[in-house]
Short mmCIF file of all heavy atoms in Angstrom, two decimals:
data_model
loop_
_atom_site.label_atom_id
_atom_site.label_comp_id
_atom_site.label_asym_id
_atom_site.label_seq_id
_atom_site.Cartn_x
_atom_site.Cartn_y
_atom_site.Cartn_z
N MET A 3 -78.44 70.47 86.07
CA MET A 3 -79.46 71.09 85.07
C MET A 3 -80.21 72.00 85.87
O MET A 3 -80.42 71.84 87.10
CB MET A 3 -80.29 69.77 84.61
CG MET A 3 -81.65 69.78 85.03
SD MET A 3 -82.68 68.46 84.39
CE MET A 3 -83.01 67.58 85.82
N LYS A 4 -80.63 73.04 85.09
CA LYS A 4 -81.45 74.19 85.70
C LYS A 4 -82.54 74.45 84.81
O LYS A 4 -82.35 74.70 83.50
CB LYS A 4 -80.48 75.37 85.93
CG LYS A 4 -81.29 76.48 86.50
CD LYS A 4 -80.47 77.70 86.70
CE LYS A 4 -81.26 78.88 87.28
NZ LYS A 4 -80.54 80.03 87.46
N LEU A 5 -83.77 74.42 85.35
CA LEU A 5 -85.00 74.89 84.63
C LEU A 5 -85.08 76.36 84.69
O LEU A 5 -84.91 76.97 85.67
CB LEU A 5 -86.20 74.23 85.14
CG LEU A 5 -86.59 72.91 84.69
CD1 LEU A 5 -87.79 72.30 85.43
CD2 LEU A 5 -86.95 72.86 83.24
N VAL A 6 -85.39 77.08 83.50
CA VAL A 6 -85.57 78.38 83.44
C VAL A 6 -87.01 78.67 82.89
O VAL A 6 -87.39 78.16 81.90
CB VAL A 6 -84.51 79.13 82.57
CG1 VAL A 6 -84.81 80.68 82.51
CG2 VAL A 6 -83.10 78.89 83.18
N LEU A 7 -87.77 79.48 83.60
CA LEU A 7 -89.15 79.84 83.08
C LEU A 7 -89.18 81.32 82.89
O LEU A 7 -88.96 82.17 83.75
CB LEU A 7 -90.22 79.43 84.19
CG LEU A 7 -91.53 79.86 84.01
CD1 LEU A 7 -92.15 79.17 82.78
CD2 LEU A 7 -92.37 79.46 85.21
N ASP A 8 -89.57 81.68 81.70
CA ASP A 8 -89.66 83.14 81.36
C ASP A 8 -91.08 83.48 81.53
O ASP A 8 -91.90 83.23 80.71
CB ASP A 8 -89.22 83.29 79.92
CG ASP A 8 -89.38 84.69 79.41
OD1 ASP A 8 -89.81 85.59 80.12
OD2 ASP A 8 -88.95 85.00 78.24
N LEU A 9 -91.47 84.21 82.60
CA LEU A 9 -92.82 84.54 82.95
C LEU A 9 -93.45 85.50 81.91
O LEU A 9 -94.58 85.61 81.64
CB LEU A 9 -92.93 85.09 84.33
CG LEU A 9 -92.75 84.01 85.43
CD1 LEU A 9 -92.80 84.70 86.81
CD2 LEU A 9 -93.76 83.02 85.38
N ASP A 10 -92.53 86.39 81.21
CA ASP A 10 -93.07 87.27 80.27
C ASP A 10 -93.51 86.60 79.07
O ASP A 10 -94.49 87.01 78.35
CB ASP A 10 -91.93 88.27 79.83
CG ASP A 10 -91.62 89.25 80.96
OD1 ASP A 10 -92.51 89.53 81.81
OD2 ASP A 10 -90.43 89.72 80.97
N ALA A 11 -92.88 85.32 78.71
CA ALA A 11 -93.38 84.58 77.63
C ALA A 11 -94.48 83.51 77.84
O ALA A 11 -95.22 83.21 77.06
CB ALA A 11 -92.13 83.82 76.99
N CYS A 12 -94.61 83.20 79.13
CA CYS A 12 -95.54 82.27 79.55
C CYS A 12 -96.99 82.81 79.27
O CYS A 12 -97.45 83.87 79.52
CB CYS A 12 -95.42 82.10 81.05
SG CYS A 12 -96.73 80.81 81.67
N GLN A 13 -97.76 81.87 78.48
CA GLN A 13 -99.09 82.33 78.18
C GLN A 13 -100.25 81.56 79.01
O GLN A 13 -101.38 81.80 78.69
CB GLN A 13 -99.35 81.90 76.68
CG GLN A 13 -98.40 82.58 75.72
CD GLN A 13 -98.65 84.06 75.73
OE1 GLN A 13 -99.85 84.48 75.58
NE2 GLN A 13 -97.59 84.86 75.80
N GLY A 14 -99.81 80.87 80.00
CA GLY A 14 -100.80 80.22 80.89
C GLY A 14 -101.48 78.98 80.19
O GLY A 14 -102.68 78.77 80.59
N TYR A 15 -100.91 78.33 79.37
CA TYR A 15 -101.52 77.11 78.70
C TYR A 15 -101.63 75.97 79.66
O TYR A 15 -102.32 75.04 79.42
CB TYR A 15 -100.85 76.73 77.32
CG TYR A 15 -100.93 77.69 76.30
CD1 TYR A 15 -99.73 78.28 75.85
CD2 TYR A 15 -102.02 78.09 75.81
CE1 TYR A 15 -99.77 79.18 74.94
CE2 TYR A 15 -102.17 79.11 74.85
CZ TYR A 15 -100.90 79.67 74.31
OH TYR A 15 -100.97 80.60 73.38
N ALA A 16 -100.75 75.91 80.63
CA ALA A 16 -100.68 74.84 81.70
C ALA A 16 -100.05 73.50 81.05
O ALA A 16 -100.32 72.52 81.77
CB ALA A 16 -101.95 74.63 82.38
N ASN A 17 -99.53 73.49 79.95
CA ASN A 17 -98.95 72.24 79.36
C ASN A 17 -97.82 71.78 80.31
O ASN A 17 -97.61 70.53 80.46
CB ASN A 17 -98.38 72.53 78.01
CG ASN A 17 -99.36 72.73 76.93
OD1 ASN A 17 -100.41 73.32 77.24
ND2 ASN A 17 -99.24 72.23 75.77
N CYS A 18 -97.12 72.67 80.94
CA CYS A 18 -95.95 72.18 81.80
C CYS A 18 -96.53 71.44 82.89
O CYS A 18 -96.04 70.49 83.57
CB CYS A 18 -95.13 73.43 82.28
SG CYS A 18 -96.18 74.63 83.03
N LEU A 19 -97.67 71.82 83.44
CA LEU A 19 -98.33 71.15 84.60
C LEU A 19 -98.82 69.86 84.21
O LEU A 19 -98.66 68.84 84.98
CB LEU A 19 -99.58 71.94 85.03
CG LEU A 19 -99.71 72.26 86.53
CD1 LEU A 19 -98.59 72.95 87.06
CD2 LEU A 19 -101.04 72.98 86.79
N ILE A 20 -99.31 69.61 82.98
CA ILE A 20 -99.71 68.31 82.50
C ILE A 20 -98.54 67.34 82.27
O ILE A 20 -98.59 66.25 82.62
CB ILE A 20 -100.52 68.49 81.22
CG1 ILE A 20 -101.86 69.23 81.52
CG2 ILE A 20 -100.85 67.09 80.60
CD1 ILE A 20 -102.58 69.72 80.20
N GLU A 21 -97.46 67.82 81.65
CA GLU A 21 -96.25 67.15 81.42
C GLU A 21 -95.41 66.88 82.62
O GLU A 21 -94.78 65.81 82.73
CB GLU A 21 -95.36 67.92 80.35
CG GLU A 21 -95.93 67.99 79.08
CD GLU A 21 -96.11 66.76 78.21
OE1 GLU A 21 -95.40 65.73 78.53
OE2 GLU A 21 -96.88 66.69 77.30
N SER A 22 -95.37 67.87 83.58
CA SER A 22 -94.46 67.79 84.76
C SER A 22 -95.02 68.28 86.02
O SER A 22 -94.53 69.38 86.58
CB SER A 22 -93.24 68.53 84.41
OG SER A 22 -92.68 68.13 83.07
N PRO A 23 -96.03 67.54 86.52
CA PRO A 23 -96.78 68.20 87.69
C PRO A 23 -95.81 68.29 88.89
O PRO A 23 -96.16 68.99 89.87
CB PRO A 23 -97.96 67.15 87.96
CG PRO A 23 -97.57 65.90 87.24
CD PRO A 23 -96.65 66.34 86.10
N GLY A 24 -94.77 67.47 88.94
CA GLY A 24 -93.81 67.56 90.16
C GLY A 24 -92.87 68.69 89.98
O GLY A 24 -92.22 68.98 91.01
N LEU A 25 -92.90 69.36 88.88
CA LEU A 25 -91.94 70.46 88.68
C LEU A 25 -92.49 71.88 88.66
O LEU A 25 -91.87 72.84 88.79
CB LEU A 25 -91.00 70.31 87.41
CG LEU A 25 -90.19 69.03 87.49
CD1 LEU A 25 -89.45 68.94 86.02
CD2 LEU A 25 -89.13 69.09 88.44
N PHE A 26 -93.82 71.82 88.32
CA PHE A 26 -94.51 73.17 88.10
C PHE A 26 -95.85 73.14 88.95
O PHE A 26 -96.51 72.14 89.14
CB PHE A 26 -94.88 73.28 86.62
CG PHE A 26 -93.67 73.39 85.75
CD1 PHE A 26 -93.07 72.38 85.25
CD2 PHE A 26 -93.11 74.74 85.55
CE1 PHE A 26 -91.97 72.53 84.40
CE2 PHE A 26 -91.99 74.88 84.82
CZ PHE A 26 -91.42 73.69 84.27
N ASP A 27 -96.26 74.34 89.18
CA ASP A 27 -97.59 74.63 89.73
C ASP A 27 -98.16 75.76 88.89
O ASP A 27 -97.52 76.33 88.13
CB ASP A 27 -97.57 74.82 91.19
CG ASP A 27 -98.87 74.67 92.03
OD1 ASP A 27 -99.97 74.33 91.29
OD2 ASP A 27 -98.92 74.87 93.18
N LEU A 28 -99.43 76.08 89.18
CA LEU A 28 -100.04 77.14 88.52
C LEU A 28 -100.37 78.27 89.51
O LEU A 28 -101.05 78.02 90.52
CB LEU A 28 -101.33 76.70 87.77
CG LEU A 28 -101.89 77.55 86.73
CD1 LEU A 28 -100.76 77.74 85.58
CD2 LEU A 28 -103.12 76.93 86.10
N ASP A 29 -100.15 79.46 89.27
CA ASP A 29 -100.45 80.54 89.98
C ASP A 29 -101.97 80.93 89.74
O ASP A 29 -102.25 81.40 88.58
CB ASP A 29 -99.59 81.89 89.71
CG ASP A 29 -99.83 83.03 90.66
OD1 ASP A 29 -101.00 83.22 91.00
OD2 ASP A 29 -98.92 83.78 90.94
N ASP A 30 -102.85 80.76 90.67
CA ASP A 30 -104.22 80.97 90.44
C ASP A 30 -104.61 82.38 90.11
O ASP A 30 -105.60 82.53 89.39
CB ASP A 30 -105.06 80.51 91.65
CG ASP A 30 -105.02 79.03 91.86
OD1 ASP A 30 -104.80 78.25 90.96
OD2 ASP A 30 -105.08 78.64 93.20
N ARG A 31 -103.75 83.27 90.56
CA ARG A 31 -104.08 84.76 90.21
C ARG A 31 -103.78 85.06 88.75
O ARG A 31 -104.48 85.90 88.17
CB ARG A 31 -103.28 85.68 91.33
CG ARG A 31 -103.86 85.52 92.51
CD ARG A 31 -103.05 86.39 93.73
NE ARG A 31 -101.60 85.78 93.73
CZ ARG A 31 -100.59 86.57 93.41
NH1 ARG A 31 -100.56 87.73 93.09
NH2 ARG A 31 -99.37 85.88 93.48
N THR A 32 -102.75 84.49 88.23
CA THR A 32 -102.22 84.99 86.92
C THR A 32 -102.40 83.85 85.87
O THR A 32 -102.24 84.12 84.68
CB THR A 32 -100.75 85.34 86.92
OG1 THR A 32 -100.00 84.07 87.32
CG2 THR A 32 -100.44 86.35 87.96
N ASP A 33 -102.72 82.64 86.30
CA ASP A 33 -102.83 81.50 85.37
C ASP A 33 -101.53 81.23 84.66
O ASP A 33 -101.45 80.66 83.61
CB ASP A 33 -103.90 81.77 84.36
CG ASP A 33 -105.26 81.52 84.98
OD1 ASP A 33 -105.47 80.75 85.92
OD2 ASP A 33 -106.24 82.07 84.41
N LYS A 34 -100.29 81.64 85.30
CA LYS A 34 -99.02 81.35 84.81
C LYS A 34 -98.36 80.30 85.70
O LYS A 34 -98.69 80.10 86.79
CB LYS A 34 -98.16 82.71 84.75
CG LYS A 34 -98.77 83.65 83.57
CD LYS A 34 -97.77 84.76 83.52
CE LYS A 34 -98.31 85.59 82.43
NZ LYS A 34 -97.31 86.57 81.99
N ALA A 35 -97.43 79.58 84.93
CA ALA A 35 -96.71 78.58 85.72
C ALA A 35 -95.88 79.15 86.85
O ALA A 35 -95.33 80.21 86.72
CB ALA A 35 -95.87 77.80 84.75
N VAL A 36 -95.59 78.25 87.81
CA VAL A 36 -94.59 78.63 88.88
C VAL A 36 -93.68 77.37 88.98
O VAL A 36 -94.13 76.23 89.02
CB VAL A 36 -95.36 78.73 90.16
CG1 VAL A 36 -94.48 79.07 91.36
CG2 VAL A 36 -96.33 79.98 90.06
N LEU A 37 -92.45 77.64 88.98
CA LEU A 37 -91.47 76.56 89.12
C LEU A 37 -91.45 76.12 90.60
O LEU A 37 -91.30 76.94 91.46
CB LEU A 37 -90.00 77.02 88.79
CG LEU A 37 -89.57 76.99 87.34
CD1 LEU A 37 -88.22 77.55 87.15
CD2 LEU A 37 -89.48 75.54 86.96
N LEU A 38 -91.49 74.82 90.84
CA LEU A 38 -91.44 74.28 92.20
C LEU A 38 -89.84 74.14 92.55
O LEU A 38 -89.68 74.20 93.69
CB LEU A 38 -92.14 73.05 92.37
CG LEU A 38 -93.68 73.16 92.14
CD1 LEU A 38 -94.37 71.76 92.14
CD2 LEU A 38 -94.29 74.14 93.19
N ASP A 39 -89.17 73.83 91.60
CA ASP A 39 -87.69 73.57 91.76
C ASP A 39 -86.78 73.93 90.54
O ASP A 39 -87.07 73.33 89.50
CB ASP A 39 -87.56 72.07 92.13
CG ASP A 39 -86.11 71.61 92.65
OD1 ASP A 39 -85.23 72.50 92.71
OD2 ASP A 39 -86.00 70.53 92.86
N GLU A 40 -86.06 74.86 90.70
CA GLU A 40 -85.25 75.34 89.57
C GLU A 40 -84.12 74.27 89.26
O GLU A 40 -83.58 74.24 88.10
CB GLU A 40 -84.54 76.72 89.86
CG GLU A 40 -85.55 77.85 89.75
CD GLU A 40 -84.83 79.15 89.91
OE1 GLU A 40 -83.58 79.21 90.25
OE2 GLU A 40 -85.49 80.17 89.76
N THR A 41 -83.69 73.54 90.16
CA THR A 41 -82.59 72.56 90.00
C THR A 41 -83.10 71.22 90.34
O THR A 41 -82.65 70.63 91.39
CB THR A 41 -81.34 72.99 90.72
OG1 THR A 41 -81.78 73.10 92.13
CG2 THR A 41 -80.71 74.29 90.20
N PRO A 42 -83.98 70.60 89.62
CA PRO A 42 -84.46 69.21 89.87
C PRO A 42 -83.42 68.20 89.82
O PRO A 42 -82.34 68.47 89.06
CB PRO A 42 -85.58 68.95 88.87
CG PRO A 42 -85.20 69.90 87.78
CD PRO A 42 -84.47 71.12 88.34
N ALA A 43 -83.50 67.19 90.52
CA ALA A 43 -82.69 66.00 90.60
C ALA A 43 -82.58 65.49 89.10
O ALA A 43 -83.36 65.53 88.23
CB ALA A 43 -83.04 64.91 91.46
N GLU A 44 -81.35 64.90 88.79
CA GLU A 44 -81.02 64.40 87.47
C GLU A 44 -82.04 63.30 87.18
O GLU A 44 -82.32 63.12 85.91
CB GLU A 44 -79.59 63.70 87.50
CG GLU A 44 -79.11 63.35 86.21
CD GLU A 44 -78.94 64.52 85.21
OE1 GLU A 44 -78.60 65.60 85.74
OE2 GLU A 44 -79.11 64.28 84.02
N ASP A 45 -82.63 62.66 88.08
CA ASP A 45 -83.67 61.49 87.70
C ASP A 45 -84.92 62.10 87.12
O ASP A 45 -85.79 61.42 86.84
CB ASP A 45 -83.82 60.49 88.81
CG ASP A 45 -84.40 61.15 90.03
OD1 ASP A 45 -84.40 62.44 90.13
OD2 ASP A 45 -84.83 60.41 90.94
N ARG A 46 -85.08 63.50 87.25
CA ARG A 46 -86.27 64.21 86.64
C ARG A 46 -85.98 64.77 85.29
O ARG A 46 -86.83 65.56 84.90
CB ARG A 46 -86.79 65.10 87.75
CG ARG A 46 -87.09 64.38 89.01
CD ARG A 46 -87.91 65.32 89.93
NE ARG A 46 -89.33 65.00 89.47
CZ ARG A 46 -90.33 65.29 90.21
NH1 ARG A 46 -90.10 65.94 91.40
NH2 ARG A 46 -91.52 65.07 89.86
N ARG A 47 -84.78 64.55 84.83
CA ARG A 47 -84.44 65.13 83.52
C ARG A 47 -85.46 64.83 82.46
O ARG A 47 -85.92 65.76 81.61
CB ARG A 47 -83.09 64.70 83.12
CG ARG A 47 -82.68 65.21 81.68
CD ARG A 47 -81.39 64.83 81.19
NE ARG A 47 -80.16 65.57 81.88
CZ ARG A 47 -79.89 66.84 81.59
NH1 ARG A 47 -80.52 67.43 80.61
NH2 ARG A 47 -78.97 67.41 82.29
N ALA A 48 -85.93 63.65 82.26
CA ALA A 48 -86.90 63.36 81.26
C ALA A 48 -88.21 64.18 81.44
O ALA A 48 -88.88 64.60 80.55
CB ALA A 48 -87.25 61.81 81.19
N GLU A 49 -88.72 64.40 82.69
CA GLU A 49 -89.86 65.11 83.05
C GLU A 49 -89.68 66.57 82.55
O GLU A 49 -90.40 67.29 82.03
CB GLU A 49 -90.10 65.06 84.47
CG GLU A 49 -91.46 65.58 84.88
CD GLU A 49 -91.73 65.40 86.45
OE1 GLU A 49 -91.00 64.72 87.08
OE2 GLU A 49 -92.74 65.87 86.82
N ALA A 50 -88.33 67.12 82.92
CA ALA A 50 -88.08 68.43 82.63
C ALA A 50 -87.99 68.73 81.04
O ALA A 50 -88.54 69.68 80.63
CB ALA A 50 -86.74 68.88 83.28
N GLU A 51 -87.38 67.66 80.44
CA GLU A 51 -87.30 67.90 78.90
C GLU A 51 -88.68 67.78 78.20
O GLU A 51 -88.98 68.51 77.26
CB GLU A 51 -86.34 66.76 78.37
CG GLU A 51 -84.96 66.88 78.72
CD GLU A 51 -84.12 65.76 78.27
OE1 GLU A 51 -84.59 64.70 78.03
OE2 GLU A 51 -82.87 65.87 78.39
N ALA A 52 -89.55 67.06 78.80
CA ALA A 52 -91.06 66.99 78.41
C ALA A 52 -91.60 68.37 78.55
O ALA A 52 -92.43 68.80 77.70
CB ALA A 52 -91.77 65.89 79.05
N ALA A 53 -91.46 69.02 79.68
CA ALA A 53 -91.95 70.29 79.90
C ALA A 53 -91.57 71.31 78.79
O ALA A 53 -92.28 72.14 78.29
CB ALA A 53 -91.75 70.75 81.27
N VAL A 54 -90.24 71.30 78.54
CA VAL A 54 -89.60 72.13 77.59
C VAL A 54 -90.27 71.88 76.11
O VAL A 54 -90.68 72.88 75.45
CB VAL A 54 -88.11 71.92 77.52
CG1 VAL A 54 -87.51 72.81 76.32
CG2 VAL A 54 -87.41 72.42 78.80
N ARG A 55 -90.31 70.63 75.77
CA ARG A 55 -90.95 70.35 74.50
C ARG A 55 -92.37 70.65 74.39
O ARG A 55 -92.95 71.01 73.44
CB ARG A 55 -90.75 68.84 74.27
CG ARG A 55 -89.39 68.39 73.67
CD ARG A 55 -89.31 66.98 73.24
NE ARG A 55 -89.98 66.05 74.19
CZ ARG A 55 -89.44 65.37 75.16
NH1 ARG A 55 -88.12 65.65 75.42
NH2 ARG A 55 -90.08 64.52 75.89
N GLY A 56 -93.08 70.51 75.46
CA GLY A 56 -94.61 70.66 75.51
C GLY A 56 -95.08 72.20 75.62
O GLY A 56 -96.24 72.38 75.66
N CYS A 57 -94.13 73.09 75.93
CA CYS A 57 -94.54 74.45 76.14
C CYS A 57 -94.73 75.13 74.76
O CYS A 57 -93.76 75.46 74.02
CB CYS A 57 -93.45 75.21 76.92
SG CYS A 57 -93.96 76.91 77.30
N PRO A 58 -96.01 75.51 74.39
CA PRO A 58 -96.25 76.12 73.16
C PRO A 58 -95.76 77.51 73.04
O PRO A 58 -95.48 78.09 71.99
CB PRO A 58 -97.69 76.08 72.97
CG PRO A 58 -98.24 75.86 74.36
CD PRO A 58 -97.13 75.25 75.02
N ALA A 59 -95.54 78.15 74.14
CA ALA A 59 -94.99 79.57 74.18
C ALA A 59 -93.46 79.60 74.23
O ALA A 59 -92.96 80.63 74.22
CB ALA A 59 -95.56 80.19 75.41
N ARG A 60 -92.90 78.47 74.34
CA ARG A 60 -91.34 78.35 74.43
C ARG A 60 -90.92 79.22 75.67
O ARG A 60 -89.83 79.86 75.52
CB ARG A 60 -90.77 78.82 73.13
CG ARG A 60 -91.09 78.11 71.90
CD ARG A 60 -90.43 76.78 71.84
NE ARG A 60 -90.76 76.17 70.48
CZ ARG A 60 -91.32 74.96 70.47
NH1 ARG A 60 -91.70 74.29 71.50
NH2 ARG A 60 -91.53 74.37 69.35
N ALA A 61 -91.62 79.13 76.72
CA ALA A 61 -91.30 79.88 77.93
C ALA A 61 -90.32 79.08 78.87
O ALA A 61 -89.88 79.74 79.87
CB ALA A 61 -92.58 80.31 78.58
N ILE A 62 -90.10 77.85 78.54
CA ILE A 62 -89.30 77.00 79.47
C ILE A 62 -88.09 76.56 78.69
O ILE A 62 -88.08 76.23 77.56
CB ILE A 62 -90.05 75.70 79.95
CG1 ILE A 62 -91.33 76.20 80.52
CG2 ILE A 62 -89.26 74.91 80.79
CD1 ILE A 62 -92.36 74.97 80.71
N SER A 63 -86.97 76.66 79.47
CA SER A 63 -85.65 76.13 78.85
C SER A 63 -84.89 75.36 79.99
O SER A 63 -85.16 75.52 81.16
CB SER A 63 -84.81 77.29 78.33
OG SER A 63 -84.42 78.24 79.33
N LEU A 64 -84.08 74.50 79.42
CA LEU A 64 -83.22 73.75 80.32
C LEU A 64 -81.70 73.97 80.01
O LEU A 64 -81.33 73.96 78.94
CB LEU A 64 -83.53 72.24 80.02
CG LEU A 64 -82.95 71.26 80.96
CD1 LEU A 64 -83.49 71.32 82.37
CD2 LEU A 64 -83.33 69.82 80.45
N GLU A 65 -81.07 74.33 81.07
CA GLU A 65 -79.66 74.70 80.92
C GLU A 65 -78.86 73.74 81.78
O GLU A 65 -79.29 73.23 82.80
CB GLU A 65 -79.42 76.15 81.49
CG GLU A 65 -80.22 77.28 80.70
CD GLU A 65 -80.04 78.62 81.31
OE1 GLU A 65 -79.41 78.73 82.44
OE2 GLU A 65 -80.57 79.50 80.78
N SER A 66 -77.63 73.59 81.29
CA SER A 66 -76.66 72.85 82.00
C SER A 66 -76.22 73.63 83.35
O SER A 66 -76.04 74.88 83.18
CB SER A 66 -75.41 72.53 81.22
OG SER A 66 -75.90 71.66 80.18
N SER A 67 -76.04 72.93 84.45
CA SER A 67 -75.61 73.68 85.54
C SER A 67 -74.04 73.78 85.67
O SER A 67 -73.32 73.09 85.14
CB SER A 67 -75.99 73.04 86.85
OG SER A 67 -77.05 72.20 86.76
#
């Protein structure tokens, strides 16, 4: 699995941080999300899926590796 973050679409709502703090951080300068790991372990799939569902800007997607 691979997480993809579209920074152009990111609106800085920080929902991904709330849903998945182990996968995302926030860039203090831009208030946009930063991926901590593009290829998280399989046991974090539920956390990654929650981030995708919780993103109001639809800036996060999950792809098969």
